[in-house]
Amino acid sequence: MICYVPAESAPAEPRAALTPATAQALVKLGLTVQAAPGLGRASHYADEDYAKAGVSLVPDHAAALAAADIVLRVRKPPAADIARMKRGALHLSFLDPFNEKELLAAFAAAGVSAVSLEMIPRTTLAQKMDALSSQASLAGYAAVIEAAQRLRMALPMMMTPAGTIMAARVFVIGAGVAGLQAIATAKRLGARVEAFDTRPVVEEQVKSLGAKFVKIDLGETGQTAGGYAKALTPEQIAKQQAGMAKICAQSDIVITTAKVFGRPAPRLVTKAMLDGMKPGSVVVDIAVESGGNVESSRPGEDVVTPNGVTIIGHPCLEGTVAFHATQVLAANFAAWFTHFWDAQQKTLRLDPPDEILQGCLITRGGAVVHPQFAPKA
Ligand code: NAD
């Protein structure tokens, strides 16, 4: 089977779907691995290392696509690439399936089986292939580093002969995978950290990292069977905003990571809350690409409010640490292949009863087969 890894088509995407080390693992399984020359340039993996790992570097993108049985990517493909693929071929990448109806239809029309990394179940069995977690964790880390670089303050408390510098205050809103890593990073840098999440189970996790859990009584909240937050009512959001306004005003850095799976991110930090913040403070909106938690944030831009608050709307913070983001994403792919690989037949065994496959396979045999995205009869 030929597995081809093209260059990413989004111009600002520095990550790649494969490292030399994972390429070697795929070759060992029995796959023929091909990649675009320069695949790892932006994430600092050299062509010669891919070649040493057994990867053929193929400059003719159209021919490689047409010959491939499997295509691996970080982000969704351009529509023209789907049309060039073989019927029955497999495509794995992030797909943003809740917002990409036409893309899913294009995969179905081309007879390509599309796997969406976002839909891999968040279970213990699938942990090694959980690309949402591997990337979110690095995004949480990078959010703190970006904020610390913009903040004209030191993060740790310092006792000096010239007086005491107080520890910076960091408020993390949403303490899932990204938020917990942001908390851990800010604590390591010596900041005083507070956090809030609507899922009550998170309180212990926040405390175990040495941060303070902010209590806001929102009534019934909870989580879905899959562990995701439930959407709040407008009244609950208003209560949450009121409860958070004072903490934002006292904070030097606010990092927002709140998401509700399959829906736009909740708008949690309003203009009024930003107006109440200190000049020079920094807000990082990790949810900026899925709608944004912060009223004034814009994807790909830094916005400075009239009172001097910088809002960072970096759409892919994990891309700032692309070497490691690529390393763990490629490891997620390798784990997926290892799970589905039939070593005797040297092929993928994609059996429908497999719970991981049922979760992440969106199209197959010319149709959208995933129940959440299949057209309703
Ligand atoms: P996510 O990216 O969907 O959301 C980020 C966080 O925002 C979540 O903690 C969520 O509760 C929170 N949030 C939503 N609305 C909010 C609001 N109004 N205010 C404050 N916070 C709000 O979540 P995630 O980080 O991808 O994690 C989702 C779940 O999956 C978690 O329960 C996590 O523990 C679980 N998980 C399980 C595994 C595993 O078992 N293998 C792996 C990874 C994650």
Side-chain angles (χ1 to χ4, degrees), residues 233-310:
T233 62
E235 292 74 29
Q236 286 176 311
I237 296 260
K239 266 193 196 168
Q240 182 180 346
Q241 287 166 338
M244 295 190 314
K246 193 168 156 213
I247 300 156
C248 287
Q250 292 165 345
S251 298
D252 302 297
I253 295 176
V254 174
I255 295 178
T256 70
T257 78
K259 291 184 187 165
V260 178
F261 192 67
R263 291 174 179 240
R267 193 51 63 86
L268 301 174
V269 178
T270 60
K271 274 204 169 107
M273 289 160 78
L274 293 167
D275 287 345
M277 288 181 68
K278 294 183 283 189
S281 46
V282 179
V283 179
V284 186
D285 188 353
I286 297 192
V288 71
E289 259 212 323
S290 47
N293 293 144
V294 182
E295 200 168 339
S296 309
S297 68
R298 282 203 286 271
E301 284 182 39
D302 281 6
V303 175
V304 181
T305 65
N307 58 326
V309 177
T310 301

Side-chain angles (χ1 to χ4, degrees), residues 149-212:
Q149 279 173 350
R150 304 290 212 294
L151 190 72
R152 297 285 171 251
M153 292 171 79
L155 265 66
M157 186 182 94
M158 290 186 203
M159 291 167 86
T160 80
T164 300
I165 293 172
M166 299 307 290
R169 290 184 69 162
V170 176
F171 181 30
V172 177
I173 303 171
V177 179
L180 290 172
Q181 191 57 251
I183 294 168
T185 305
K187 282 298 294 181
R188 280 186 208 123
L189 290 174
R192 180 175 157 190
V193 185
E194 290 163 282
F196 176 71
D197 197 296
T198 53
R199 290 181 298 119
V201 294
V202 172
E203 181 171 351
E204 276 314 305
Q205 298 165 10
V206 167
K207 285 183 179 164
S208 74
L209 291 170
K212 184 179 165 202

